[in-house]
Structure formats: structure tokens, C-alpha cells
Amino acid sequence: MATYDDIGGAPAVTAAVDMFYAKVTGDPSLAGYFEGVDLARLKGHQRAFIGAALGGADGYSGRDMGAAHASLAITDADFDAVVGHLADTLAALAVPGDTIERIGAALAPLRADIVTRPAVA
């Protein structure tokens, strides 16, 4: 069974995306990334991406992660904060810990494409 089904399919992904964006847009260190962004459109892309990444039937047809994030100057700390908010969201939705770990493992390789600003020494 795919992780997508384990967490409850499309309704669970929708709930997770909505809660996740409430967390990231409410985080002062991340909120600036979302100023002027069409959140409804972004949430749609995120639902499709997460669904596909977790083994859902619908595929993701958006831009690749590098292209989508290239102009944002995202740091490792920003990436870690976003992943932390996602893990917190999934835990709040009673997703089992081993499933959250699988999702985290699937996201880890994306760091190289998403992080574009080196850490300040």
C-alpha cells in the first residue's frame, strides 16, 4: 500500500496542505517567501506534488523543484523550518511516526535543488 493511502488519500493531503500553509505563512522567518503569492494556486501544486510523491494516482506536472525555487534564495535553515512544519502538521493529523519518517526521507534529496543561498558564516 502506498504512503498516500496510508495517510488517508486526497482528503488527508488537502487537510495537511491547508494546515501546513497556515504554519509556514504564520512563521515570521518564512512568511516573506509567500508575499504576493497566489496561495490557492500554490496549494494546488503542493497537493499534486505531495500526492504524487506519496504514491497517489495523479501525477505532478509542475516545474521541477530547482526551477520552482531558484529565485527565492532559500537557506538550509529555511528548508529545515519548512520540513519541520510539515512534520508537525502530519503529527497533528495523527500520521504515524514511521510514515512521517518516510515522507521526510523522500523530501531530503530535494534539499540540493531547493536551497540556493549559502549559510552566513
Side-chain angles (χ1 to χ4, degrees), residues 69-99:
H69 297 89
S71 67
L72 299 176
I74 296 172
T75 66
D76 279 306
D78 298 329
F79 183 88
D80 292 341
V82 168
V83 172
H85 285 306
L86 180 59
D88 291 347
T89 296
L90 296 172
L93 294 170
V95 173
D98 63 325
T99 301

Side-chain angles (χ1 to χ4, degrees), residues 18-71:
D18 288 344
M19 184 182 289
F20 168 73
Y21 276 104
K23 289 179 181 293
V24 296
T25 59
D27 182 331
S29 70
L30 300 172
Y33 289 114
F34 301 96
E35 290 177 9
V37 172
D38 180 348
L39 279 180
R41 182 172 178 259
L42 185 58
K43 285 180 180 181
H45 286 297
Q46 189 76 335
R47 284 190 300 272
F49 175 74
I50 290 175
L54 300 180
D58 295 332
Y60 173 74
S61 61
R63 295 183 294 166
D64 69 66
M65 292 296 106
H69 297 89
S71 67

